Amino acid sequence: MAEGPLVSTQWLAEHLDDPVVRVVDCRWYLRPFDTRNGDDEYAKAHIPGAVHARWDTELADPDRPDLWMLAGPERFAEAMAARGIGDSTFVVAYDDQHVTVAARLWWALRTYGHADVAVLDGGITKWQAEGRPTTSAVPSHQRAHFTPRFNPDLYVTHQQMRAAVGTPTRLVDGRMDGARQQDGGAIPGSIVAPGITFTGADGTWTGPEEARRRLAEAGACAPEPTIAYCRGGVGACGTALAYAIAGHDDVAVYDGSWTEWITDPESPRALDSPSPLTC
């Protein structure tokens, strides 16, 4: 229904009553930096018709609770079907730019073969700033049928990430400076391009030309094979979205990211912050 990884607030307003469009509120907050609760924020006000989905519970693997990795195909399909998202549904994901959780759902759906998904540019922040309607009413959507079709090109395991170190594959660190310094290391050979830095003061994402410029400045020499990672798998999805805006929608995400990486004593680590590379 829409081209590219983003849709505007105007586009969504015009398609809000379209039965094939499903809006998903993805809000979630990283403590202690923000003590709000995504469930509470959704209950107070959300875009009309929007369902709520949390990346760390319904969409996560319960067998790996400390890593909050992507749910398996059956669990993920059930979460989508219960929210009225089927094989022919066009999904619009939004957040409020605290962290790139809408991008996480965008990546997760594509990882399970559902390409009809976009992120609301500017999220609910821009929607409300424009005076568009919100509601506290929880919608009831008819159950749908969602068929998961795993795309291995977008998902990277720990073993695959280990194998990628030292190869021509471009590794991209999506952590912010504070998190990277706190973590005290990086995966060797990685460049730095946090997805959230590709959004402006109003929460909207940068345009394609500017995204390409920033990525090139960071040393992202697309279209070489690229894997994004962060601390827990959310920021990396924002980085993948920035790449998609720039015209490269095949960036894979290391789901376990740094949190999983450091559980393996054999995983190589660079103690210094990654330096920009020359394309």
Side-chain angles (χ1 to χ4, degrees), residues 14-15 51 57 72 97 126 134 156 162 169 173 177 191 215:
E14 294 171 355
H15 292 83
V51 295
T57 53
Q97 292 76 47
K126 188 172 189 290
T134 59
V156 172
R162 283 280 304 269
T169 299
D173 189 340
D177 289 342
I191 64 171
L215 287 169

Side-chain angles (χ1 to χ4, degrees), residues 43-76:
K44 286 190 292 186
H46 52 265
I47 294 175
V51 295
H52 192 227
R54 287 181 53 163
W55 78 278
D56 62 330
T57 53
E58 300 100 335
L59 307 184
D61 183 354
D63 294 331
R64 309 190 75 178
D66 295 334
L67 295 175
W68 293 339
M69 293 174 68
L70 182 62
E74 292 184 1
R75 180 179 175 86
F76 188 86

Side-chain angles (χ1 to χ4, degrees), residues 1-3 7 11 15 18-22 88-91 116-117:
M1 293 187 66
E3 296 182 2
V7 295
W11 185 97
H15 292 83
D18 192 322
V20 302
V21 173
R22 182 71 65 245
S88 60
T89 305
F90 186 86
V91 179
D116 292 333
V117 55

Side-chain angles (χ1 to χ4, degrees), residues 170 191-193 198 213-220 275-279:
R170 178 70 74 223
I191 64 171
V192 179
F198 288 79
R213 185 193 69 79
R214 293 189 192 183
L215 287 169
E217 188 176 70
S275 300
L277 302 177
T278 302
C279 292

Side-chain angles (χ1 to χ4, degrees), residues 71-162:
E74 292 184 1
R75 180 179 175 86
F76 188 86
E78 171 59 28
M80 295 300 103
R83 289 166 172 78
I85 297 171
D87 294 339
S88 60
T89 305
F90 186 86
V91 179
V92 177
Y94 74 82
D95 53 34
D96 58 5
Q97 292 76 47
H98 170 65
V99 285
T100 56
V101 281
R104 174 76 179 182
L105 179 59
W106 167 83
W107 166 78
L109 280 164
R110 293 168 61 249
T111 295
Y112 278 123
H114 193 91
D116 292 333
V117 55
V119 171
L120 179 62
D121 197 14
I124 193 171
T125 306
K126 188 172 189 290
W127 181 271
Q128 291 178 309
E130 294 170 343
R132 301 188 188 276
T134 59
T135 182
S136 61
V138 177
S140 176
H141 296 300
Q142 184 175 355
R143 184 180 177 84
H145 178 75
F146 184 92
T147 306
R149 298 176 294 272
F150 182 67
N151 181 357
D153 293 336
L154 297 180
Y155 189 96
V156 172
T157 65
H158 178 71
Q159 291 75 17
Q160 291 170 326
M161 193 63 163
R162 283 280 304 269

